[in-house]
Amino acid sequence: MKQITAEIVTGIHALAKDYNVGLYVTVINAQGEVIACLKSGDVARASFTLSIKKAETAYKFTLDSDVIYQSLITIGQQNLLCEEYCFLAGGVISQNTSGERYCVGVSTNNPHLDKAIALNILSQL
């Protein structure tokens, strides 16, 4: 299992600065364990919970959170957020070159950027 290194943490802080956002990031490993929660900059407290829910949703469905929503919407109107899941963009899943699987949840003060930032963070893992 890869460790969240100081270099990765520094990279996440740099992303927040580059995108000019405050954010919370949650990283979950293939076993479903939260291996990192990180705050960078000024961001609403609700973003902490949203980042966790986005990562957990990607983990449980093994799909990006917004992709799950798009498939569910075909059967009728669905809530984007409930007690257990969050189908807002920003929950992503990926397998790195070593075969390790990670789920990342990102919630920022500019939700339109959440998925792009999450994908960028995945590329660093």
Side-chain angles (χ1 to χ4, degrees), residues 44-88:
R45 296 185 123 217
S47 286
F48 174 71
T49 302
L50 288 172
S51 74
I52 295 169
K53 283 183 179 248
K54 288 177 181 185
E56 288 178 340
T57 299
Y59 174 79
K60 290 175 183 174
F61 285 86
T62 61
L63 285 170
D64 292 357
S65 55
D66 60 323
V67 172
I68 300 161
Y69 180 77
Q70 291 304 316
S71 65
L72 290 174
I73 199 77
T74 62
I75 59 173
Q77 188 64 36
Q78 303 295 319
N79 291 329
L80 288 169
L81 181 63
C82 64
E83 185 69 31
E84 190 172 359
Y85 303 114
C86 178
F87 299 114
L88 297 168

Side-chain angles (χ1 to χ4, degrees), residues 1-5 8 35 96 100 102 124-125:
M1 173 179 66
K2 183 172 184 152
Q3 298 296 316
I4 302 300
T5 63
I8 291 170
I35 59 171
N96 70 14
E100 296 170 306
Y102 293 97
Q124 296 180 37
L125 298 179

Side-chain angles (χ1 to χ4, degrees), residues 16-123:
K17 188 174 181 179
D18 290 347
Y19 280 96
N20 194 31
V21 295
L23 58 78
Y24 274 103
V25 176
T26 300
V27 181
I28 295 178
N29 66 15
Q31 291 74 42
E33 302 164 329
V34 174
I35 59 171
C37 274
L38 176 72
K39 177 186 180 209
S40 185
D42 227 3
V43 64
R45 296 185 123 217
S47 286
F48 174 71
T49 302
L50 288 172
S51 74
I52 295 169
K53 283 183 179 248
K54 288 177 181 185
E56 288 178 340
T57 299
Y59 174 79
K60 290 175 183 174
F61 285 86
T62 61
L63 285 170
D64 292 357
S65 55
D66 60 323
V67 172
I68 300 161
Y69 180 77
Q70 291 304 316
S71 65
L72 290 174
I73 199 77
T74 62
I75 59 173
Q77 188 64 36
Q78 303 295 319
N79 291 329
L80 288 169
L81 181 63
C82 64
E83 185 69 31
E84 190 172 359
Y85 303 114
C86 178
F87 299 114
L88 297 168
V92 296
I93 184 168
S94 181
Q95 196 164 325
N96 70 14
T97 54
S98 303
E100 296 170 306
R101 190 177 82 185
Y102 293 97
C103 297
V104 172
V106 172
S107 183
T108 70
N109 51 12
N110 184 348
H112 299 290
L113 298 174
D114 290 3
K115 186 167 186 173
I117 294 171
L119 290 169
N120 200 313
I121 291 167
L122 272 179
S123 72

